Amino acid sequence: MTTLLGLSPEEIQELIQVKEKFRSKQIYHAIYSGIESFDAITDLPLSLRQSLAENFCIFTSKVDTSLDDEGGNCKLRIELSDGLFTECVILSDGTERKTICISSQVGCKMGCAFCRTADMGFKRNLTAGEILEQYLIGSKIAGKLSNIVFMGMGEPFDNIDNLKKAITILNDKNAIGLGARRMTISTCGIIPGIQALAQSKLEIRLAVSLNSAIEEKRRQIMPITQRYPLSDLKSALKAFQQDKNKRFTFEYVLIKDFNMGDEDIKALRHFTSGLSVLVNLIPWNTVEGKPFQTPDRKDINVFCSKLDKLGINYTLRKRKGFGVSGACGQLAYKAKKN
Ligand code: SAH
């Protein structure tokens, strides 16, 4: 059945073929309030509710598995209407702030060597409705969600049309009403996407997965570097910063004996110079069968103290207790094998 999630009021109007415009606005508004059936929209005439229920639906996905850790974080594997799986994570820091990490695709084309999702290959883009459903399902489970990071499975800028539609609805006060500043898009470095975001009126935040500031090394683990070399990436980021006049984030996955040496730090310092940026360090989450190792506490401390000395701004992401299913794609990948 066709869902009405992800459509504008005008698209809903056209699809459901009601004469009165205000009806489609009412429906558009109501389906983002968490309701699961059209019956709950009691200000619609009964006949309209019935005909909506016969022809359309709201939710198309359902939670297949839910994993909680001791820190109040929750990871969900979501089954889509075609039987494929995607995943999202709700992160709590013990305050009002609850962040949901949302997927934009099933699988991914980017082929990053350290990432489980890459092993799945690319299956398909998520629709705007499926992107929004993750937020709605997450809110049902965790209550009000204050922030979104598009950092789950997939590359958000490789699904930019559906992402834009979903963001418009997330931001719209008549739908979800989440401020653009509370949303972050994480990219492996797709320059046209960064440029589009720079030109957008919305103040959405940007995170770029850097992982190495050495061209050759980054190419080894992130094939996208071949298409968008580091020098071009830096120019795009400088332009982004000029347009948006604000700080962004680099994500840097820490891989033992690979990107944590002195030459890596030197390159990182060089690459970050002239940019106002925060580096988010993420200890690599072990993915079975990959030729990488996660650093131990001591390696991380040494790396951090070197960054301190150079005055590089960083934060260290705390590990989440999801065991082997912690990192991008690991829960959905398991589902695929089962
Ligand atoms: N394609 C986007 C978003 C998805 S990946 C991007 O590249 O930013 C989200 C983040 O998870 C990226 O920063 C990526 O580097 C990181 N990541 C992927 N696999 C990981 C793993 N096994 N351990 C730790 N971080 C991982």
Side-chain angles (χ1 to χ4, degrees):
M1 226 189 264
T2 310
T3 176
L4 299 185
L5 293 175
L7 304 178
S8 66
E10 295 71 30
E11 287 168 332
I12 292 178
Q13 162 98 4
E14 192 161 324
L15 194 67
I16 67 173
Q17 302 271 326
V18 283
K19 282 192 200 84
E20 308 96 333
K21 253 198 186 155
F22 75 97
R23 290 291 179 213
S24 53
K25 283 195 184 146
Q26 266 178 321
I27 297 165
Y28 171 80
H29 177 72
I31 56 178
Y32 296 105
S33 65
I35 57 162
E36 292 187 28
S37 85
F38 296 109
D39 248 357
I41 318 178
T42 47
D43 43 4
L44 294 182
L46 186 62
S47 58
L48 178 56
R49 275 185 268 158
Q50 279 169 345
S51 105
L52 288 173
E54 276 162 27
N55 299 296
F56 305 101
C57 65
I58 304 174
F59 286 86
T60 64
S61 327
K62 58 176 190 282
V63 175
D64 171 76
T65 308
S66 163
L67 291 180
D68 294 309
D69 80 352
E70 62 288 346
N73 305 300
C74 171
K75 184 155 188 164
L76 303 174
R77 178 165 71 191
I78 290 178
E79 185 174 356
L80 304 165
S81 58
D82 56 2
L84 290 175
F85 292 93
T86 189
E87 59 184 35
C88 60
V89 185
I90 301 159
L91 305 164
S92 296
D93 64 0
T95 67
E96 295 274 280
R97 189 184 165 96
K98 278 188 195 147
T99 302
I100 184 164
C101 172
I102 285 183
S103 294
S104 49
Q105 299 180 316
V106 183
C108 187
K109 292 179 204 160
M110 300 302 138
C112 298
F114 50 86
C115 176
R116 172 55 84 213
T117 304
D119 296 344
M120 287 178 74
F122 174 71
K123 303 283 179 234
R124 69 171 173 87
N125 281 329
L126 293 180
T127 63
E130 286 166 338
I131 294 173
L132 291 161
E133 275 188 64
Q134 294 174 61
Y135 180 88
L136 295 174
I137 289 173
S139 317
K140 267 190 210 296
I141 291 174
K144 196 172 168 13
L145 301 171
S146 57
N147 296 72
I148 297 180
V149 288
F150 294 99
M151 206 183 270
M153 286 175 99
E155 168 53 44
F157 285 146
D158 192 34
N159 184 16
I160 199 156
D161 292 342
N162 292 340
L163 183 76
K164 266 194 204 157
K165 275 192 205 163
I167 286 175
T168 304
I169 292 172
L170 284 163
N171 188 238
D172 183 358
K173 287 201 175 65
N174 290 319
I176 291 172
L178 192 77
R181 283 161 200 237
R182 294 177 175 276
M183 301 183 219
T184 303
I185 297 177
S186 175
T187 178
C188 63
I190 308 267
I191 291 177
I194 296 171
Q195 290 166 335
L197 191 61
Q199 277 146 30
S200 147
K201 283 193 203 81
L202 293 178
E203 292 286 311
I204 293 175
R205 294 175 192 271
L206 173 68
V208 177
S209 301
L210 183 62
N211 301 335
S212 174
I214 299 174
E215 185 83 12
E216 274 310 305
K217 244 186 216 188
R218 192 171 190 267
R219 244 189 227 196
Q220 274 178 43
I221 53 167
M222 299 184 72
I224 194 69
T225 314
Q226 237 153 314
R227 190 142 129 226
Y228 301 115
L230 281 172
S231 53
D232 294 356
L233 182 60
K234 181 148 181 187
S235 309
L237 290 170
K238 271 193 164 163
F240 175 85
Q241 203 132 58
Q242 262 162 17
D243 285 342
K244 291 285 178 186
N245 191 26
K246 67 168 186 253
R247 197 151 85 164
F248 61 93
T249 308
F250 276 138
E251 286 148 303
Y252 196 96
V253 176
L254 296 171
I255 303 174
K256 189 181 167 78
D257 298 331
F258 181 77
N259 62 358
M260 300 177 68
D262 287 343
E263 80 277 14
D264 300 292
I265 293 175
K266 201 174 142 204
L268 183 61
R269 185 195 182 179
H270 181 69
F271 198 72
T272 51
S273 71
L275 296 170
S276 167
V277 65
L278 178 74
V279 182
N280 187 8
L281 304 173
I282 314 169
W284 184 62
N285 218 309
T286 304
V287 177
E288 234 178 273
K290 301 238 174 235
F292 299 116
Q293 266 182 291
T294 191
D296 50 38
R297 194 68 238 179
K298 200 175 121 257
D299 302 326
I300 298 173
N301 287 345
V302 170
F303 187 81
C304 288
S305 66
K306 289 180 180 170
L307 297 191
D308 281 333
K309 276 203 194 108
L310 293 173
I312 298 176
N313 271 318
Y314 68 88
T315 55
L316 178 63
R317 191 188 287 180
K318 280 199 210 120
R319 281 175 194 279
K320 308 287 179 270
F322 298 118
V324 294
S325 299
C328 177
Q330 291 183 335
L331 195 57
Y333 186 83
K334 272 213 245 163
K336 186 196 142 220
K337 290 213 296 197
N338 286 345

